Amino acid sequence: MEALLPVLIKTLFIIIVAVAAFAPVITWVERKQSAVMQDRIGANRADIAGITVLGLLHPLADVIKLLTKEDVVPTGANRALHLMAPLIAAIPVIASFGVIPYGGTYHFGDTTVNLVVADLDWGILYIFAIASIATYGTVIAGWASNNNWSLLGSLRASAQMISYEVTMGLSLVGIFMCFQTLRLTDMGVAQDSTFRIFGFLEHLGLVDSIGFLGHLTLPTWGIILQPLAFVLFLTCVMAENKRPPFDLPEGESEIIAGYFLEYSGMRFGLFYMSEFIEVVVIGALVTAIFLGGWTIPWLSQADIIGGVTPIFGVGVATGLCMILHVLTFFLKVIIMIWLQMQIRWTLPRPRYDQVMDLCWKVMLPLSLLNILVTGAVILWIQGAKA
Amino acid sequence: MSAPAVFFYLFGAAAVISALAMVLNVRNTVASAMSLVVTMIALAVVYVVLDAHLVAALQIMVYAGAIVVVFLFVVMLLNLRRDAFSRPRERLTKLAGVVFALGGAFAFLQLVPKSLPTVQAIPADFGSYAAVGRALYHDFVLPFEVSSLLLLAAIVGAVVLAKRRIS
């Protein structure tokens, strides 16, 4: 049994950073991004004594507005399930931060610091399991509202989420094969190195030595080893999050607001927040799996600690490395959030059958093909080695 | 009692209670289906306590995450009310349920404690995806492939049945 205190500190840290710091700012980024894309100024009205801070007070105004609104339960609705649904939607999203590593493992003398709340051997499976629970929040919300538009929205949501879960799992199988693990911390360590771009020529015996080309290296990041998997996985998790262009379950032009149509006040706020927290989860997950996690490209942990130790000693060097890694991780998460925002405001919403066709007729075959090719290449390389 | 044992009994009890809630709640089929989800999740926690991590993850992904969602889907579309179940048959089913439950419990208590194997030390990688994967794709690869053929036949059959006109 691990000591409870470090786990609590790590949990608090990730919750505060992701839920209390990232999510409100993202609502502001979303508004500003839409303003930029639509040639407007954007959120800039909320102020305290005339000070607007670039519109950053809008999240605060949002929260005050939602908290003071009336919490309506429609007539004929199933009261208990209606009240519970936003919680069922929000809790799994927050719980998925439990296995996402935001830093590596660091040794300070005898104590070892491991920057992940729960370093599970089956980390990715935990994420998949948790993500599949989140479906219930939307399904129950739609049904318990006693509104046909809501029910349509939740039916759309459940079909869409189940379909994309299949491809989401399969798109990562290539990654499992490359890194030989399901543990997210091990994936981070595996991505903390580089490979020679033309090394395969030497490896397969095509040339004796590749000479100066050996200096051309790339980090062993998931996105470089499995570019197709990156595209597939990002599409699937965005469809899981039901944000545009995959916001068919909300589809305001067709079914008003879909599954959360009958929600008001802070219960609507919970749906709204869990969507934005999931944007952070997606950013963190894609970073951990495809963008090298906390690692700095071309500068491994051993290099940093080895380089700084002669000047400041091992303790300071390790601490510095830890801070650099955590900052790198969150920088990558910010880049991924920006990418999601860009996609969200660029693409229009497709028709519902097009979304399902995309999943079953394009993404699923492509992810199976990816597994086949990855397996063949790995066997080929192993054969060449032997 | 150690922490795993506390979790075992806590979630074991939760599984039993939610399973009973599922069966006894005939008034609201959706709430009943949600009780089934709670049962699945509680069972998954029990599996985690018993070191069967892969089974726990699959339990939630497959049963709670996919199969029961489809149940819910159907139940919600049918929109069943209390009067959809006729009274006398309900009483008869309850009686049959009690008889079978008591009989099952009796048989369980008679047979299971005798047939339980003695406790052995479990291997270090017990229940991990690596151990299960080795068993499935290496030790028992032929039965595994045969069962996948069976599933394929079931999928094709489902498509043929569901699709009226195959263009």
Side-chain angles (χ1 to χ4, degrees), chain B residues 2 7-8 22 36 41 68 85 87 102 107 113-114 124 141:
Chain B
S2 63
F7 277 108
F8 178 85
M22 183 203 91
L36 184 59
I41 295 172
V68 184
F85 304 93
R87 270 242 145 259
L102 285 180
K114 282 178 204 156
V141 67

Side-chain angles (χ1 to χ4, degrees), chain B residues 15-79:
Chain B
V16 172
I17 292 169
S18 55
L20 283 176
M22 183 203 91
V23 182
L24 298 178
N25 185 357
V26 287
R27 216 155 36 104
N28 187 340
T29 36
V30 170
S32 183
M34 284 311 285
S35 308
L36 184 59
V37 178
V38 176
T39 315
M40 298 295 180
I41 295 172
L43 275 182
V45 178
V46 170
Y47 291 144
V48 170
V49 174
L50 296 175
D51 275 337
H53 295 159
L54 181 71
V55 180
L58 291 180
Q59 170 82 13
I60 295 187
M61 275 159 68
V62 177
Y63 285 96
I67 292 180
V68 184
V69 175
V70 179
F71 285 2
L72 257 187
F73 212 101
V74 175
V75 167
M76 284 190 328
L77 281 177
L78 291 178
N79 204 9

Side-chain angles (χ1 to χ4, degrees), chain A residues 21-158:
Chain A
F22 261 98
V25 174
I26 292 177
T27 62
W28 172 78
V29 173
E30 168 117 329
R31 288 203 175 106
K32 280 291 184 190
Q33 178 96 6
S34 73
V36 170
M37 305 291 267
Q38 297 165 355
D39 204 12
R40 293 182 285 114
I41 298 169
N44 65 343
R45 294 293 172 84
D47 66 296
I48 295 175
I51 304 161
T52 56
V53 225
L54 296 168
L56 268 170
L57 292 172
H58 273 262
L60 186 69
D62 273 345
V63 170
I64 294 171
K65 181 187 80 178
L66 289 172
L67 277 176
T68 50
K69 267 190 166 180
E70 189 191 354
D71 185 17
V72 183
V73 180
T75 7
N78 187 317
R79 194 181 164 79
L81 287 177
H82 187 266
L83 297 183
M84 229 157 46
L87 293 175
I88 305 176
I91 289 170
V93 179
I94 299 173
S96 30
F97 282 111
V99 293
I100 294 175
Y102 48 94
T105 308
Y106 309 94
H107 302 283
F108 295 98
D110 293 334
T111 49
T112 302
V113 178
N114 186 4
L115 290 184
V116 58
V117 176
D119 190 10
L120 295 182
D121 185 34
W122 43 295
I124 298 231
L125 293 180
Y126 170 85
I127 298 259
F128 287 163
I130 286 287
S132 64
I133 295 288
T135 317
Y136 287 103
T138 55
V139 174
I140 287 302
W143 180 80
S145 299
N146 191 30
N147 180 318
N148 284 340
W149 304 117
S150 299
L151 187 63
L152 278 177
S154 66
L155 290 179
R156 281 184 176 194
S158 55

Side-chain angles (χ1 to χ4, degrees), chain B residues 80-164:
Chain B
L80 296 168
R81 297 276 171 223
R82 188 180 173 74
D83 45 302
F85 304 93
S86 60
R87 270 242 145 259
R89 240 179 77 205
E90 197 184 289
R91 198 176 296 148
L92 202 70
T93 12
K94 270 182 187 163
L95 190 72
V98 168
V99 169
F100 279 114
L102 285 180
F106 182 73
F108 183 84
L109 290 175
Q110 284 290 305
L111 295 173
V112 169
K114 282 178 204 156
S115 60
L116 277 183
T118 49
V119 179
Q120 291 164 341
I122 55 168
D125 65 344
F126 174 81
S128 71
Y129 60 87
V132 177
R134 238 191 327 275
L136 270 186
Y137 299 108
H138 190 266
D139 301 345
F140 302 100
V141 67
L142 190 67
F144 176 76
E145 289 299 335
V146 170
S147 61
S148 75
L149 266 183
L150 203 66
L151 280 177
L152 183 66
I155 293 169
V156 172
V159 170
V160 170
L161 281 179
K163 229 179 153 125
R164 299 261 161 76

